[in-house]
Amino acid sequence: MTTAKQPAKAKQNAGAWVVWLVLGATALVCVGSSILNRDSGGTTVPGPAADERADTVPLLVQAAESQGICYGWRLERSSGAEVSVGSNLGDGVPVTGDARCPRWVEVRARIMYTSSSSESNDWATVTVSGSDDLDRADLWAVDAGLDRFGLDTDTFVDDPGWAICRAAVTLPLLVAEAGVAPPAATPSADPAAPAGALPDAGNDFWRDRWGWLLATAGLLLVAALLITVGFVQRGRQRAATPAGRTRGAR
């Protein structure tokens, strides 16, 4: 009796190789995404967008001309490295150390993002400083007033770029409330060129979790592939079994 050939084994081996290759690729994606997610979450502090800075500077210019006090902002990483700086003198121009601004007030925020694998939380510190002629108690009152506008440390952690610009344009009002300067003149609206509104604050959901979401998608893809390969191999085995028995009987 002639021994029947078994071509199904070769097909099964090929299918197994495909599964192992997909599993290996998925593992590499998971490891790589975790590494990238940890690095970006630990070092990257997003600054204000170009349109946010462009909208902030003219408002500070009007307030400075009306109150006789220069206003500025400074956003930094936890190491002290500068992310964004600006003032009524222009985007990228600090308010400190300039002869054009003998009196000045600046809001400074320092942001620290920890890695997704760390047990430590992201944090931010926000302070308001000013020229030597300004009373420290008045500056403290301006600093404390930021919370009334929703500009607390959580907001700075969620969207530091938006928060630092919003805090800068809030300074003239808080300075007037503290009695340091008269209220700033109301900006005249130009119907032909309305000032753009600052966007709503976002959050760091995707920054913290995009690596895990990518890994989950990869695992779901592997599961779907395994099910598909299983059905295909099962169908080939059923199709090959009657043929093998017939040849064996002959």
Side-chain angles (χ1 to χ4, degrees):
M1 181 174 63
T2 304
T3 303
K5 297 181 180 180
Q6 299 180 0
K9 290 184 177 181
K11 295 178 180 179
Q12 291 176 1
N13 291 335
W17 275 108
V18 171
V19 172
W20 282 110
L21 286 174
V22 173
L23 288 174
T26 302
L28 290 175
V29 169
C30 294
V31 173
S33 62
S34 298
I35 294 175
L36 291 175
N37 192 38
R38 180 172 62 251
D39 292 342
S40 63
T43 60
T44 302
V45 176
D51 59 336
E52 292 174 336
R53 301 192 303 270
D55 291 340
T56 300
V57 171
L59 296 177
L60 299 184
V61 170
Q62 293 177 352
E65 292 176 349
S66 175
Q67 295 178 307
I69 298 178
C70 293
Y71 296 100
W73 76 85
R74 188 181 300 271
L75 180 63
E76 299 174 336
R77 298 183 179 91
S78 58
S79 62
E82 184 179 286
V83 176
S84 176
V85 65
S87 66
N88 57 284
L89 301 177
D91 180 18
V93 183
V95 73
T96 58
D98 195 298
R100 294 172 291 178
C101 291
R103 305 187 75 202
W104 55 269
V105 176
E106 180 185 71
V107 58
R108 175 178 297 186
R110 182 167 290 187
I111 312 296
M112 173 63 182
Y113 287 147
T114 58
S115 64
S116 58
S117 60
S118 174
E119 295 182 357
S120 301
N121 295 324
D122 299 339
W123 56 264
T125 59
V126 183
T127 58
V128 174
S129 57
S131 52
D132 294 336
D133 62 306
L134 299 180
D135 189 88
R136 300 301 102 180
D138 292 334
L139 294 176
W140 182 87
V142 173
D143 191 344
L146 292 175
D147 287 346
R148 299 196 343 252
F149 294 88
L151 298 170
D152 53 14
T153 55
D154 290 338
T155 302
F156 276 87
V157 168
D158 288 342
D159 196 342
W162 174 88
I164 195 67
C165 286
R166 179 57 62 91
V169 298
T170 306
L171 290 178
L173 174 60
L174 296 174
V175 166
E177 288 184 352
V180 178
T186 304
S188 57
D190 183 2
L198 294 176
D200 293 334
N203 57 61
D204 59 349
F205 178 84
W206 290 106
R207 179 181 63 80
D208 289 342
R209 299 172 176 83
W210 71 268
W212 294 107
L213 294 176
L214 182 60
T216 301
L219 292 175
L220 291 175
L221 179 61
V222 170
L225 181 60
L226 289 174
I227 294 173
T228 302
V229 171
F231 276 114
V232 171
Q233 290 183 349
R234 183 62 176 170
R236 289 176 177 175
Q237 290 176 356
R238 289 180 178 177
T241 299
R245 289 178 179 176
T246 302
R247 288 194 296 268
R250 292 179 180 175

